[in-house]
Amino acid sequence: MMKPYLLAAISVSFFTAPLAVHAGEAPAVLLQLECASCHALTKPENTSLDRLWERKGPDLYYAGSKFNKDWLVKWLQDPTKIRPAGEFYRKHVKPGAKEDVVDEPSLTIHPKLTTKDAEAAADALMTLTGPEGLIEKGAFKNQKVVPSMGTMYFNKLRGCSACHMTAPGKGGLSGPEMATAGARLQPDFIYSYIKDPQKIDKGIWMPKLDISDADLQKLTSYIVQLSAKEDKK
């Protein structure tokens, strides 16, 4: 049986709409680097669960409102695994001796770019900001949270560790790791995504939490501070 950290709390049926990646107005450099073969560079017309669960990589049409440019330039030159069990975890797990484990050979490795291409791609990606209002700009107040309190909110009160790791071997595998999220993601994106995942990524298996703004600020601060902790190691 699959362990809870590999299960999503969803009960939905699959649709049969055809998959399509729309890149009609995507920056030329991203098309030249064939980013559209795995990522949506403009907002997809098809928002079915089939498209979501069959996509090879996350949508990038709002990358400029999501990522930090410095992180993008560095990561594109030397990609590391962000999603321990791949873009859609159900496709990349197999039975283990005691529990299901990640089927590592089934995971796709992101290609490495040269420094020149990485910088050009990052510049282009930062121009893709998505529809107006998708991300709540200025929503995060950057109030520090006591690490022990943040850990309690993340692990116990909100159960985020069921799907996300805060360090290697600590947490679930069905969502992206959070240890580097503060370096990777803009704080307003983290805040907005936690507040309403479906608004940004329709059909995603991350639940919408019934959470106060104060708690949302604490969770966002905790995630941002995790990267600072990693940088000190």
Side-chain angles (χ1 to χ4, degrees), residues 49-66:
L49 292 177
D50 268 351
R51 190 204 75 88
L52 177 70
W53 293 353
E54 294 292 334
R55 69 185 180 186
K56 298 177 181 179
D59 294 343
L60 294 181
Y61 68 90
Y62 50 84
S65 298
K66 175 180 180 179

Side-chain angles (χ1 to χ4, degrees), residues 13 47 49 71 85 205 218:
S13 60
T47 59
L49 292 177
W71 178 88
W205 44 93
K218 290 184 179 73

Side-chain angles (χ1 to χ4, degrees), residues 143-176:
Q143 299 169 346
K144 301 298 182 183
V145 63
V146 177
S148 59
M149 179 177 290
T151 299
M152 179 178 67
Y153 273 97
F154 191 90
N155 293 334
K156 295 183 179 181
L157 299 183
R158 296 303 172 185
C160 307
S161 60
C163 297
H164 302 280
M165 293 194 299
T166 55
K170 294 183 179 180
L173 305 175
S174 60

